[in-house]
Amino acid sequence: MRKRILEVKNLYTSFFTHVGEVKAIRGVSFHLDKGEAIGLVGESGSGKSVTSMSIMRLLQYPGKITEGEMTFKDQNIRKLSEREMQSIRGNEIAMIFQDPMTSLNPVYTVGNQIIEAIRKHQKLSKKEARQKAIEMLKIVGIPSPEKRMDNYPHEFSGGMRQRAMIAMALSCEPSLLIADEPTTALDVTIQAQILELMKELKEKINTSIILITHDLGVVADVCSRILVMYGGLIMEEGTTEQIFYNPKHPYTCGLLKSIPRLDLGQKERLVPIEGTPPDLLKPPKGCPFADRCSYTMKICEEVKPPYFEVGENHRCMCWLLHEDAPAIEVDTGVMRGRES
């Protein structure tokens, strides 16, 4: 049985702006086991990055965690002081940000920045830290790492900067790695290399990974489980196979139908999800996807659905799964709808 490394229970995070409270996360719960990789997917504004920043305790004013628990290695990190959190952040829990150019300091060499991260958390001399930094650059596939140590960020390509960020994040051998859209700004060949690298590191170091992306295709080959977020909630959670081949929520189906596929005919088109995400200044009473869903019932607009267990480790927040709901065959093209 795998050991549980992270458990998030009933997390609420808000931003208290001059126009009111933006309820960005509204009761998110999930877990992560040692050596497991899970994907957090959804449109922009669904709450993925806010969830990761809440776990890292990196929320800036006016953001604030208002409720919930975050247990990392049997320790409630929400209750830790900032000094205690600093010993965990970057050491036990590391994060790769979306844009490596804004994450790396342009006036310091890449090597110095990795050395600084190593020495902050590990009792190594400067010489030992430099040697470890070179080893990490070699592991992530940077050519001539001894020379590249003395280069500045602008002398690296986009893919190499992202690899350097991964080297920095993994330099202290963290138990948990959070990757927030790590391949968004990269071309497809570099994307594939970065994802393959993350798979290899997970297998070699047994690091747990939370991969955040808006692209379901990115998580297919890396993650064993997928959490689909929308409107600050987890709408559906299941194994990768369950989400791809037996999705239950209309939103999940919509995301899957919008992925380009090689088997599409010349006359077949991608189907976008009509409408826009909900205004979280005034979150809807019912299902946040009700305004954009083709199968909305009256109860969907008035009452937030509970989670329905639809399989082993597969849950979905949708009234269509209630035993009294009318049997509806969701036409997804690549997925099956609810069994009648």
Side-chain angles (χ1 to χ4, degrees):
M1 185 176 178
R2 278 182 169 180
K3 183 179 180 182
R4 188 154 295 180
I5 192 169
L6 175 71
E7 186 156 15
V8 177
K9 289 184 179 178
N10 205 33
L11 177 66
Y12 284 78
T13 299
S14 292
F15 291 85
F16 296 88
T17 70
H18 68 283
V19 294
E21 180 184 356
V22 179
K23 298 177 181 179
I25 304 296
R26 303 187 292 136
V28 162
S29 299
F30 66 92
H31 71 273
L32 178 67
D33 293 334
K34 179 67 178 173
E36 183 183 25
I38 64 172
L40 209 54
V41 303
E43 292 173 284
S44 297
S46 60
K48 310 182 301 296
S49 294
V50 176
T51 299
S52 68
M53 297 297 274
S54 298
I55 294 169
M56 291 291 288
R57 293 266 308 271
L58 285 173
L59 286 170
Q60 299 288 325
Y61 176 84
K64 183 180 180 182
I65 298 171
T66 59
E67 192 177 329
E69 291 184 8
M70 298 180 294
T71 305
F72 175 72
K73 290 187 174 181
D74 302 321
Q75 193 174 24
N76 188 355
I77 55 178
R78 190 189 164 197
K79 294 183 177 179
L80 298 181
S81 67
E82 178 57 25
R83 176 171 287 185
E84 290 172 322
M85 194 63 204
Q86 283 180 2
S87 66
I88 293 176
R89 191 189 298 129
N91 187 29
E92 291 281 348
I93 307 176
M95 188 165 181
I96 305 169
F97 294 93
Q98 183 171 344
D99 186 358
M101 198 61 198
T102 58
S103 303
L104 292 167
N105 192 322
V107 300
Y108 291 99
T109 65
V110 170
N112 278 338
Q113 293 180 65
I114 299 174
I115 289 170
E116 182 182 5
I118 293 171
R119 296 197 71 192
K120 181 176 176 62
H121 297 290
Q122 298 187 353
K123 295 179 179 179
L124 296 178
S125 66
K126 192 168 184 179
K127 184 178 179 180
E128 291 170 330
R130 180 178 175 84
Q131 189 57 42
K132 183 164 187 179
I134 292 171
E135 290 172 9
M136 291 308 302
L137 288 178
K138 187 175 182 180
I139 287 173
V140 298
I142 299 289
S144 305
E146 295 87 354
K147 295 180 180 178
R148 286 294 190 174
M149 282 281 291
D150 299 320
N151 287 160
Y152 290 88
H154 73 271
E155 297 177 283
F156 278 41
S157 67
M160 288 176 66
R161 284 197 293 267
Q162 193 62 284
R163 287 172 183 268
M165 283 299 302
I166 294 174
M168 188 184 302
L170 295 174
S171 61
C172 296
E173 299 181 10
S175 302
L176 171 59
L177 175 66
I178 301 175
D180 188 359
E181 303 273 11
T183 62
T184 296
L186 307 177
D187 62 59
V188 289
T189 54
I190 302 299
Q191 279 188 25
Q193 292 172 14
I194 294 296
L195 293 174
E196 188 62 31
L197 171 63
M198 292 180 68
K199 282 174 58 181
E200 290 175 6
L201 293 172
K202 181 175 77 73
E203 292 167 4
K204 289 178 182 177
I205 308 177
N206 202 30
T207 298
S208 303
I209 297 174
I210 299 177
L211 177 59
I212 298 169
T213 180
H214 62 274
D215 184 355
L216 270 165
V218 167
V219 300
D221 198 35
V222 178
C223 303
S224 58
R225 284 191 297 125
I226 296 174
L227 284 61
V228 181
M229 289 196 72
Y230 183 78
L233 297 167
I234 294 175
M235 308 305 291
E236 185 169 2
E237 176 183 356
T239 65
T240 302
E241 290 76 15
Q242 288 167 337
I243 296 298
F244 272 84
Y245 298 110
N246 192 26
K248 295 297 184 181
H249 201 285
Y251 178 62
T252 308
C253 296
L255 288 178
L256 286 164
K257 285 194 74 176
S258 66
I259 299 174
R261 302 200 324 273
L262 293 175
D263 60 339
L264 279 177
Q266 288 186 348
K267 294 183 179 181
E268 293 183 77
R269 291 178 174 269
L270 296 177
V271 182
I273 302 175
E274 300 293 338
T276 57
D279 180 4
L280 295 181
L281 272 169
K282 297 177 182 178
K285 290 191 299 181
C287 174
F289 191 61
D291 286 348
R292 306 173 71 184
C293 183
S294 302
Y295 309 98
T296 299
M297 302 175 288
K298 188 174 181 181
I299 192 172
C300 300
E301 298 175 342
E302 296 177 351
V303 183
K304 187 175 81 171
Y307 286 107
F308 294 95
E309 300 294 331
V310 292
E312 187 178 357
N313 301 316
H314 190 185
R315 61 176 181 151
C316 179
M317 182 186 283
C318 182
W319 282 117
L320 290 174
L321 298 165
H322 192 274
E323 58 184 9
D324 294 330
I328 295 174
E329 188 71 19
V330 181
D331 180 16
T332 63
V334 291
M335 297 143 287
R336 295 187 298 276
R338 185 176 72 90
E339 295 177 0
S340 58

